[in-house]
Amino acid sequence: MSKLNFETLLEAGVHFGHLKRKWNPAMAPYIFEEKKGIHIIDLNKTMVHLDHACAAMKQIAKSGKKVLFVATKKQAKEIVSERVTKINMPFVTERWSGGMLTNFQTTRKSIRKMALIDKMKLDGTWDTLNKREKLFKTRQRDKLEKTFGSIAEMTRQPAAIFIVDILKEHIALAEARRLNIPTFAMVDTNSNPKLVDFPIPSNDDATKSITLIMDQICLALSEGLEDRKNLKEGGNEESTESSNVAAEAVTPEVVAEEIVAEAVAPEVAAEENVAEITEEVAAEEIVAEVTEEVAPEEVAPEVVAEEIIPEVSEEVAPEVLAEEVVAEVTEEVATEVAPKVAEKKATAKKVTAKKDTKEKPKKK
């Protein structure tokens, strides 16, 4: 929460607004009065809105998410970059590239290109380039570093965005609203506070005013990060304690189980011996019964031979039948084929006779 008082804000000039002719009617609830053609901001409402913004920022940092700071104004560049770098948050203090949030994939490609050039310098491929290529790559790297160097570690879209002067950063505000990203901003009398989720009515032109507000926002973020760190450490300690307690609680039970196992072991061994003896006795009884049943059923070898002979004859019978069938078939085939063979022989004799008559030489 904010620890600022009314006098501190007054000394920093947070209450100074713009000229009356430049005002935005939506800022009317936050204007205290008009003095010498200049609107004066109500610092009581500034303190209330600053407290709400700091509380929200603290929760975001506690959840481990990132907040993107945007301030490309000349007065705010150095102030924002110095304070935000300490808490390791992404920021944009140079030109806001259109589509930096809505076209985040292309932004990531540019960041990877910058990382690739750095890798070339480390792995030795940089030395293989000629002078012209090195100059081109160096200029390209400097340009990317200027635009995307401060957001190189932002691997995904931020959880919130903080803007100094929403009139100048209207593109960043429009992209955040389109993606439903919560917006925090310092809103002057010439801006529309309805476009921002957490507006902080304050002077966004004076360096002292920007410094004061940024200090409070960064303090809230650092507190949230510390709370997150403490929660992690506390969770690790609790987990180790619980594991130790569980181990201590289990050890007596394990010891008791081992003692019971040792006590039961002799009884189990005795039961196994008895079971083996009973199995042996049962086997001997079964063998005796089988021998008694088999003994009277033994038959003389002659009788067995007599029984075997008819079985063999029965087995041979099919072969004999097959031979008889073959003989009958051969007789039938012979009777059918004999006339045909005779006819073929007769025709062959006639043909040979004709050939002989043709071959006889004529008498002179």
Side-chain angles (χ1 to χ4, degrees), residues 24-323:
N24 191 316
M27 279 294 292
Y30 305 104
I31 295 174
F32 180 70
E33 64 175 353
E34 177 197 344
K35 191 172 183 179
K36 296 180 181 180
I38 298 173
H39 280 127
I40 305 299
I41 298 170
D42 190 353
L43 294 180
N44 291 317
K45 293 184 178 179
T46 300
M47 292 173 66
V48 173
H49 284 78
L50 183 60
D51 290 342
H52 289 314
C54 289
M57 285 283 188
K58 186 176 180 180
Q59 291 299 321
I60 291 170
K62 195 174 181 179
S63 63
K65 297 177 181 178
K66 298 287 185 180
V67 179
L68 178 62
F69 288 81
V70 182
T72 59
K73 292 178 73 169
K74 186 178 180 181
Q75 305 94 307
K77 278 184 181 181
E78 294 181 1
I79 298 168
V80 172
S81 60
E82 287 177 4
R83 284 156 179 76
V84 175
T85 305
K86 294 177 182 177
I87 57 175
N88 196 22
M89 290 288 177
F91 61 92
V92 176
T93 55
E94 297 298 329
R95 186 178 68 87
W96 176 270
S97 299
M100 191 176 286
L101 292 179
T102 53
N103 195 10
F104 191 68
Q105 292 180 352
T106 306
T107 305
R108 289 299 305 167
K109 285 181 182 178
S110 300
I111 294 170
R112 283 196 292 270
K113 192 183 294 183
M114 184 174 63
L116 183 63
I117 295 171
D118 294 336
K119 187 178 179 182
M120 290 172 66
K121 292 181 179 180
L122 295 174
D123 60 9
T125 55
W126 182 262
D127 298 332
T128 61
L129 301 176
N130 56 35
K131 188 176 179 181
R132 187 176 179 182
E133 289 176 343
K134 287 181 180 179
L135 184 61
F136 175 74
K137 294 283 186 185
T138 303
R139 288 176 179 173
Q140 187 181 23
R141 170 73 173 76
D142 294 340
K143 188 177 179 181
L144 292 171
E145 176 67 28
K146 186 177 180 180
T147 309
F148 304 108
S150 56
I151 61 169
E153 296 180 359
M154 190 174 70
T155 56
R156 57 182 179 179
Q157 290 181 348
I161 183 170
F162 184 89
I163 301 172
V164 179
D165 194 353
I166 60 175
L167 282 182
K168 186 172 178 62
E169 314 298 343
H170 64 280
I171 299 174
L173 179 63
E175 290 186 18
R177 283 170 58 83
R178 186 172 182 179
L179 296 173
N180 296 321
I181 297 174
T183 53
F184 299 76
M186 294 177 65
V187 182
D188 211 332
T189 56
N190 63 343
S191 306
N192 184 5
K194 294 179 181 178
L195 301 176
V196 184
D197 298 324
F198 295 90
I200 303 171
S202 58
N203 184 2
D204 59 6
D205 294 313
T207 55
K208 288 184 179 180
S209 175
I210 296 170
T211 303
L212 191 64
I213 300 298
M214 283 299 303
D215 286 338
Q216 295 301 311
I217 295 295
C218 292
L219 180 63
L221 288 171
S222 60
E223 288 177 358
L225 293 172
E226 287 179 2
D227 291 346
R228 178 178 175 79
K229 186 178 179 181
N230 294 332
L231 285 173
K232 282 186 176 180
E233 291 177 355
N236 293 332
E237 291 177 358
E238 288 178 0
S239 61
T240 52
E241 289 178 0
S242 60
S243 60
N244 293 333
V245 170
E248 291 176 358
V250 170
T251 47
E253 296 178 0
V254 174
V255 172
E257 289 178 359
E258 291 177 354
I259 293 169
V260 172
E262 291 177 357
V264 172
E267 297 178 359
V268 174
E271 290 178 358
E272 290 178 354
N273 293 331
V274 171
E276 290 176 358
I277 293 167
T278 52
E279 287 176 359
E280 291 176 358
V281 172
E284 292 175 356
E285 292 177 355
I286 291 166
V287 170
E289 291 177 359
V290 170
T291 52
E292 290 176 358
E293 291 177 358
V294 173
E297 291 179 358
E298 291 181 353
V299 184
E302 296 176 356
V303 178
V304 173
E306 290 178 358
E307 291 178 355
I308 291 170
I309 289 167
E311 290 177 359
V312 172
S313 62
E314 288 176 359
E315 291 178 356
V316 173
E319 297 178 357
V320 176
L321 291 173
E323 291 177 357

